[in-house]
Amino acid sequence: MSTTTIKAKFEDRITGLGEAVLSIGPGFKGFVTDFADAFLFLVLIGRETFSRHFEFREFLNQCFQIGYRSLPLVSITGAIMGLVLTIQSRPVLVDFGAETMLPGMVAVSLIREMGPVITALICAGKIGSGMGAELGSMRVTEQIDAMEVSSTNPVRFLVVTRVLAAILMIPLLTVYADALGIVGSWAGANIKGEVGFTLFMAQAFKPVDFMDLMPAILKTFFFGAVIGIVGCYKGYHAGRGTESVGKAANSAVVLASLLVIIIDMIAVQITDMLSS
Amino acid sequence: MSEETTTAATSTPDTKAKNGPVMLIKDLSKAFGELKVLSGFSAELMQGENLVVLGKSGSGKSVLIKCIVGLLSYDSGSITVMGDEVSALNRKELNVMRQKVGFLFQSGALYDSMTVRENLMFPLTRIRKDLCADEMEAKIKEVLENVGLADAIDKMPSELSGGMRKRISLARTIVVDPDIMLYDEPTTGLDPVTSDEISSLILDVQKKYRTSSIIITHDIKCARKVADRILMINDGKVHLMGTPKEFEESDDELVASFFN
């Protein structure tokens, strides 16, 4: 077979592949464009994070908005989580005569899995949608453009501060939710019995070791990053109409929640590999 | 003091003293996909003049001023703002150029989460780093008095009417002493009385701050009041340019449809 024939066949294959890709339609093109946009956005965040002109005051403001303003929601969720887990588990443990293991079981469940994931999902709903809607409305009402013509980098001012605040605050909120969850569990244990607070706490933390604590805390930094980045990305890239604000908020919650679950699955696999 | 601030602070008095064009636009073209919005557009803005740009909706007026401040990139041609070719500027240089150009957005674009004081302080702390806190406060009070809204200093944008938002937005733009003002439909959505007040403010700003301005508008009453020259844009090109009197007397069909 001559070189020209091989070349022609190769060109045919490439053309065929290109046509096949194009025939998948605008949906695929949109996916590729979105993926490229998201990648560029990440690069931009990375570059601006290490800029000399860090917006420290806005960062503190966002820590307050994300952290302090989420406390009531996280408090209620955390306490109920521990309470419900205790009430649901208690009858089974009583049947097996293992009631004394209740505090430790609840603490390990909360610290390893339920605390981080439920707190992250709650925050994806509250913080992710808030960021999507706020930045989306700022885009629609030209506030982001106004910031840009005021010689201010909007990514540095709006995005970097929010993403870093989320990375810092989500782990703190998780620890807080875990603590309230264990207190809620003690309250749950006292509904049908009588357990002293000190004894309950001693039993709760007895089975908790380093490999329960560290991976659980580490993954919450990734949860925070995902919630911040997705919320800001969706809001920053909102369309021009008011309808796009709702869409940005909605898609921020959906995507951030999905990514939290996926990251959790990866984190669990890695932890399992490391501990075995 | 940063390099950016030094350039802005030193350039302001020099550039304002010069005569001649402060902005040159040559053969500007801009398309969004297949849609050509600007096609070979050329114009110049002279020192101290108010140039009103008229045209049908979608004729590329807003795109033009967004290209001037680098919010949109253009496909070909050139825009020279006070000696700087916009497309050749890197981000840092673009920011220095933007310090000389004030942009009044159609919607006002006030930051919803900030009070009026914070809205005005925002550009001031970033552009006029040569001023101390007291000087900045005095500057904010001065511009708010100039737009007649000194009492609104601690209000949130949501507490202001449409006309007040436009005035505060104008105050935020002039607080950094720009050399060139770009007004994007400053009277749209306002009642005739408030529109007339905004037109008067545009003239006050021109006199008091010695600015050169491009005013995008559909409001013929505003155009008649503030224009030194009028430019009509059609099909992405300059359709007609002249004084308000020349436009009033023009037999051109498109011009007549606006002025009659």
Side-chain angles (χ1 to χ4, degrees), chain B residues 77-100:
Chain B
S78 71
I79 300 175
T80 312
V81 179
M82 305 182 86
D84 297 323
E85 164 56 44
V86 176
S87 63
L89 302 176
N90 62 31
R91 179 145 196 125
K92 196 175 172 185
E93 292 165 339
L94 189 63
N95 280 341
V96 175
M97 184 278 281
R98 283 170 173 167
Q99 292 169 10
K100 303 170 198 165

Side-chain angles (χ1 to χ4, degrees), chain A residues 130-185:
Chain A
M131 286 177 184
E134 189 183 8
L135 296 197
S137 70
M138 286 184 81
R139 171 65 74 197
V140 170
T141 56
E142 298 178 307
Q143 292 175 51
I144 292 179
D145 287 343
M147 210 166 264
E148 194 144 356
V149 296
S150 296
S151 301
T152 302
N153 187 328
V155 171
R156 191 186 300 156
F157 186 83
L158 297 171
V159 178
V160 171
T161 51
R162 280 165 173 76
V163 171
L164 291 182
I167 292 174
L168 184 68
M169 287 297 125
I170 302 292
L172 293 177
L173 288 171
T174 303
V175 171
Y176 175 72
D178 288 348
L180 279 184
I182 293 169
V183 173
S185 173

Side-chain angles (χ1 to χ4, degrees), chain B residues 19-39:
Chain B
N19 287 316
V22 287
M23 190 188 297
L24 282 167
I25 302 166
K26 278 185 189 165
D27 293 326
L28 190 70
S29 295
K30 171 72 185 171
F32 294 99
E34 297 292 307
L35 180 69
K36 283 186 178 177
V37 180
L38 295 171
S39 174

Side-chain angles (χ1 to χ4, degrees), chain B residues 213-231:
Chain B
S213 309
I214 292 180
I215 301 127
I216 307 283
T217 189
H218 290 120
D219 182 352
I220 296 302
K221 204 176 164 197
C222 169
R224 282 183 177 128
K225 186 165 184 173
V226 303
D228 295 312
R229 276 192 308 153
I230 299 177
L231 181 158

